[in-house]
């Protein structure tokens, strides 16, 4: 699967932004999808993830709980990250990722993702 992330930009603190990740292929629904971010000088960390098919299970990093929402539209082969109440600490390059390991189909800490998009930059000014 090939992933194309978009929607990043420069916003002010408190603003909202929605990232999109479009995937190629006909079996998008069978992938666990995740959003990661990497700030300058820091490691890449998980932000949010959504289970395959119905997306009934989601995971959020503590730092974004209550502000970010991940969702998927299998008909459009797209996963979204709605980001509200943005803070300067949210500034980073955001990456979407996909994994199709035949397991429980949900995210768990340490899960490996085999496919990555190119990243989209989100800059939040104070």
């Amino acid at each position: 699967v090939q992933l194309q992330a978009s929607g990043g930009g420069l916003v002010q603190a408190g603003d909202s932004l929605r990232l999109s990740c479009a995937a190629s292929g006909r079996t998008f629904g069978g992938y666990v999808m995740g959003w990661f971010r990497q700030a300058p000088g820091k490691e890449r960390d998980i932000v949010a993830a959504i289970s395959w098919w119905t997306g009934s299970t989601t995971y959020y990093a503590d730092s974004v709980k209550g502000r970010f929402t991940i969702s998927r539209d299998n008909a459009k082969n797209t996963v979204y990250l709605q980001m509200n109440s943005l803070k300067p600490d949210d500034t980073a390059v955001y990456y979407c990722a996909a994994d199709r390991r035949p397991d429980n189909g949900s995210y768990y800490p340490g899960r490996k993702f085999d496919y990555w998009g190119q990243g989209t930059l989100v800059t939040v000014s104070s």
Side-chain angles (χ1 to χ4, degrees):
V1 66
Q2 292 184 325
L3 305 174
Q4 181 75 35
S6 62
L10 173 62
V11 297
Q12 293 186 331
D15 285 352
S16 297
L17 206 57
R18 189 177 81 158
L19 304 183
S20 299
C21 176
S24 63
R26 296 179 292 177
T27 57
F28 172 75
Y31 288 86
V32 175
M33 300 298 298
W35 284 100
F36 292 73
R37 68 186 181 187
Q38 186 168 21
K42 296 187 177 181
E43 294 185 350
R44 186 164 57 187
D45 293 323
I46 182 76
V47 175
I50 189 166
S51 58
W52 61 17
W53 301 119
T54 63
S56 58
T57 304
T58 55
Y59 172 91
Y60 297 96
D62 288 343
S63 59
V64 306
K65 282 181 181 176
R67 300 188 298 122
F68 290 12
T69 303
I70 188 170
S71 61
R72 67 189 302 154
D73 186 337
N74 293 337
K76 296 182 178 180
N77 279 16
T78 302
V79 63
Y80 304 98
L81 185 67
Q82 177 66 44
M83 305 185 295
N84 298 330
S85 302
L86 282 162
K87 305 175 181 180
D89 284 349
D90 295 319
T91 294
V93 177
Y94 284 71
Y95 299 89
C96 61
D99 180 61
R100 199 183 172 187
R101 257 166 266 273
D103 49 25
N104 64 356
S106 297
Y107 177 79
Y108 49 84
R111 185 185 187 107
K112 302 299 182 183
F113 286 77
D114 287 337
Y115 305 96
W116 293 84
Q118 86 290 0
T120 185
L121 177 62
V122 173
T123 304
V124 184
S125 63
S126 58

